[in-house]
Amino acid sequence: MEEEEEAIGFLDKVLEDEDVFLLEECELGTPTSPGSGSPFLVTVKVEAGKGLEMRKLVLSGFLASEEIYINQLEALLLPMKPLKATATTSQPVLTIQQIETIFYKIQDIYEIHKEFYDNLCPKVQQWDSQVTMGHLFQKLASQLGVYKAFVDNYKVALETAEKCSQSNNQFQKISEELKVKGPKDSKDSHTSVTMEALLYKPIDRVTRSTLVLHDLLKHTPVDHPDYPLLQDALRISQNFLSSINEDIDPRRTAVTTPKGETRQLVKDGFLVEMSESSRKLRHVFLFTDVLLCAKLKKTSAGKHQQYDCKWYIPLADLVFPSPEESEASPQVHLFPDHELEDMKMKISALKSEIQKEKANKGQSRAIERLKKKMFENEFLLLLNSPTIPFRIHNRNGKSYLFLLSSDYERSEWREAIQKLQKKDLQAFVLSSVELQVLTGSCFKLRTVHNIPVTSNKDDDESPGLYGFLHVIVHSAKGFKQSANLYCTLEVDSFGYFVSKAKTRVFRDTTEPKWDEEFEIELEGSQSLRILCYEKCYDKTKVNKDNNEIVDKIMGKGQIQLDPQTVETKNWHTDVIEMNGIKVEFSMKFTSRDMSLKRTPSKKQTGVFGVKISVVTKRERSKVPYIVRQCVEEVEKRGIEEVGIYRISGVATDIQALKAVFDANNKDILLMLSDMDINAIAGTLKLYFRELPEPLLTDRLYPAFMEGIALSDPAAKENCMMHLLRSLPDPNLITFLFLLEHLKRVAEKEPINKMSLHNLATVFGPTLLRPSEVESKAHLTSAADIWSHDVMAQVQVLLYYLQHPPISFAELKRNTLYFSTDV
């Protein structure tokens, strides 16, 4: 790369000396034909003799860069033969198909350019004014079909190489350090280049060849035999560039610095930065040698959008402070969970309104107004929900703090930066002009164009899955040494990823076998991520940005949630490969409409799926035994558990507890004392969810929906209290018992992070959702997970949770000022 740039740089200098001015490549598009206002060149008339001499200089520079290009192709081909040889053995590094995908057409491109170089070289070395080589360029241009095939396969080749690197350490080592032979006259015998960089070379080469054809035509007299041949070659090259620009702009991810070095964009995306104690949404650009943090400037309609650079750090100066090195920072302000839940409810309600407007062919102005409101709420949610700290530091001074919603995303950014830092990077300071040029290029180079919110999605894009994903994390293998290992599961929701479940820690093993099942609620989800960690028990490794111990990510992987694959009644088993580690898991999906069904138990002997009045009568109790025992255990040892009732318990443990309660086993208390507290909390939720009718009854459901919608506080109070009084005694006493328990849980919110609103969100639909027959009237579409009904169910429970203590005796004693027909 550097040698090639030196050759081009030398050529530029010679051309400048000869009164030919190369313009800075501000627009990185396809070159236009000579005389049509090319953005690359200003044509200056030169004498015929001087023009022919310039042709030699242009060709000499091109020949030098062509030699470097051939050496790069050779370096890329070097591992192909041994890889093919191992593909047929019992221990292949790659399969034949993977090899053919990664190295597709490289051999053909090498042979074309080797022949071209061998024919051009003697002509340049034995130069005279009558030498012709237009036919060589014409032949080269006629073989561009091979490049078209390469370009069509380019993205697949890159993805395949990346996946193979992640799953095979041997191939990773090969692809990270390919040795490129230096030019004949160079002091450096070899340079190390990554496979990813070399795979980009053919794409870059087509543009360079086209630029050279521009220069040659400029310095070739019109009556020279080469002129029509070069014109034809340039026409073919330009047509080719135009045809592939839509698929992959050959210069799209690269910027040329004033020093002639190529600075490529490696990664970009939207991140939330903590700046002056407030959250700001930034667009962050990672180039091969610099990290740049920018924000989009506000521009008037019709004006070209631009970025404003907030700060940059050369990668040579960028460090990640270790927990023991970092200083304690001011506590990050966390947005109250109930406000985030309110935003989600508003977003889903607006989404439903937009769908109704579209179905009724409503006015486009009304739809746009709703979309604008929805975007505003989604933007606020995106800005205020991330809590995972990602701090980077400039070794010359300031440090910067980003907040992310996903540890997977934090790991991706860290790994991408560390991979680039393995190269020999130099520190630098950008001049104001250089910074302006780099920031100006960001708009054109960016790969992430829109803020990741659902309102930015096209109508024909998949809305994602709504319902429950059941995942069993079975086991993992591929660890080189024993460790304390666990997995977490992330799914996307409302445009960003969140962690939804976590396995137990399997201690001191190379082959953990968790076999844990989780039920994960999906809210428009399209992907599942699995992260594998090594648990750290060293208290010195505390991240001072959130006071949590930092565990080491051993591997991570992601799969698309394809509705056709997961929407079956059967379990679908899969293996996800990450960094040489293989995690086996199974999953099945239950759609929202299926999960809403309450199925009465056919047997009347147990407690699950049996009417609450039947259970209390049989037990001769006011509150079912299962409710009392689960509440007692949660209050004894789970009331300070972070995310109690929100975090999924292991499904197999929950099923075991269900079976014990149904059988009225004498070992219940012993089993409860040994069981994970999230499984006990999950068992209580399951009990209420599986009641044949909701605790607050089907009969009163419409009245609860109407009561919570009343505006007058006094009327609402009378109505809501009257509705409680109208409940059957077992239902009312159990509800009041649960209500007081949830209030005690919320008192520990600073520790367990469970506010009244969080608890209402978890329990509201469980206690109010109508049974199957009733729910048909209230169900609209599976995507309306946070429909008006669900929002109202949450609001009903929240009303009672926020109400002063309610006693059964007082309710029965007091009378209403007016009667409400229920």
Side-chain angles (χ1 to χ4, degrees), residues 652-664:
T652 42
D653 289 348
I654 293 170
Q655 290 304 317
L657 280 172
K658 177 183 175 181
V660 169
F661 275 112
D662 266 341
N664 195 20

Side-chain angles (χ1 to χ4, degrees), residues 363-378:
Q363 290 185 354
S364 58
R365 192 177 293 174
I367 293 171
E368 285 309 309
R369 205 164 41 241
L370 288 168
K371 277 187 174 179
K372 187 183 175 187
K373 271 190 193 175
M374 184 168 149
F375 176 83
E376 286 167 0
N377 278 281
E378 286 194 300

Side-chain angles (χ1 to χ4, degrees), residues 444-463:
K444 192 157 193 173
L445 301 182
R446 62 186 181 162
T447 61
V448 180
H449 293 270
N450 294 317
I451 296 169
V453 292
T454 52
S455 47
N456 277 337
K457 280 187 177 181
D458 294 331
D459 290 343
D460 57 354
E461 282 189 66
S462 168

Side-chain angles (χ1 to χ4, degrees), residues 444-627:
K444 192 157 193 173
L445 301 182
R446 62 186 181 162
T447 61
V448 180
H449 293 270
N450 294 317
I451 296 169
V453 292
T454 52
S455 47
N456 277 337
K457 280 187 177 181
D458 294 331
D459 290 343
D460 57 354
E461 282 189 66
S462 168
L465 294 170
Y466 289 83
F468 291 91
L469 185 70
H470 298 263
V471 181
I472 302 174
V473 183
H474 294 294
S475 59
K477 55 186 178 183
F479 298 97
K480 292 188 172 65
Q481 56 193 43
S482 291
N484 303 316
L485 303 163
Y486 70 92
C487 285
T488 63
L489 307 177
E490 292 182 356
V491 294
D492 53 322
S493 166
F494 292 92
Y496 59 93
F497 278 84
V498 283
S499 184
K500 287 281 193 175
K502 176 181 171 182
T503 68
R504 67 186 184 278
V505 179
F506 213 101
R507 290 180 177 252
D508 198 24
T509 182
T510 55
E511 292 194 3
K513 290 183 173 60
W514 296 285
D515 288 321
E516 292 184 58
E517 184 183 336
F518 301 95
E519 182 183 80
I520 298 170
E521 191 167 10
L522 303 183
E523 302 164 289
S525 309
Q526 294 179 317
S527 303
L528 169 70
R529 289 171 170 177
I530 299 182
L531 294 94
C532 194
Y533 292 85
E534 179 182 357
K535 181 70 180 170
C536 174
Y537 293 102
D538 182 353
K539 290 185 179 176
T540 63
K541 307 280 186 188
V542 169
N543 187 325
K544 293 183 176 69
D545 288 314
N546 63 353
N547 292 319
E548 290 181 8
I549 291 177
V550 180
D551 294 336
K552 181 183 176 185
I553 295 180
M554 304 297 286
K556 62 186 194 312
Q558 176 173 312
I559 59 158
Q560 292 300 111
L561 294 174
D562 176 20
Q564 291 181 334
T565 306
V566 296
E567 284 185 325
T568 61
K569 291 179 181 178
N570 302 322
W571 287 95
H572 170 70
T573 303
D574 208 341
V575 172
I576 201 161
E577 293 193 25
M578 43 175 93
N579 236 6
I581 299 162
K582 292 182 180 179
V583 176
E584 187 183 351
F585 66 100
S586 301
M587 60 181 178
K588 68 176 179 179
F589 173 72
T590 309
S591 64
R592 166 92 350 215
D593 51 346
M594 289 300 292
S595 65
L596 285 173
K597 292 180 180 177
R598 290 183 186 269
T599 311
S601 174
K602 289 177 182 173
K603 60 183 191 336
Q604 291 294 303
T605 53
V607 292
F608 281 83
V610 179
K611 282 186 177 180
I612 198 164
S613 57
V614 173
V615 172
T616 50
K617 189 176 180 182
R618 188 202 308 142
E619 293 178 353
R620 296 180 183 175
S621 63
K622 291 180 178 177
V623 175
Y625 178 69
I626 181 173
V627 177

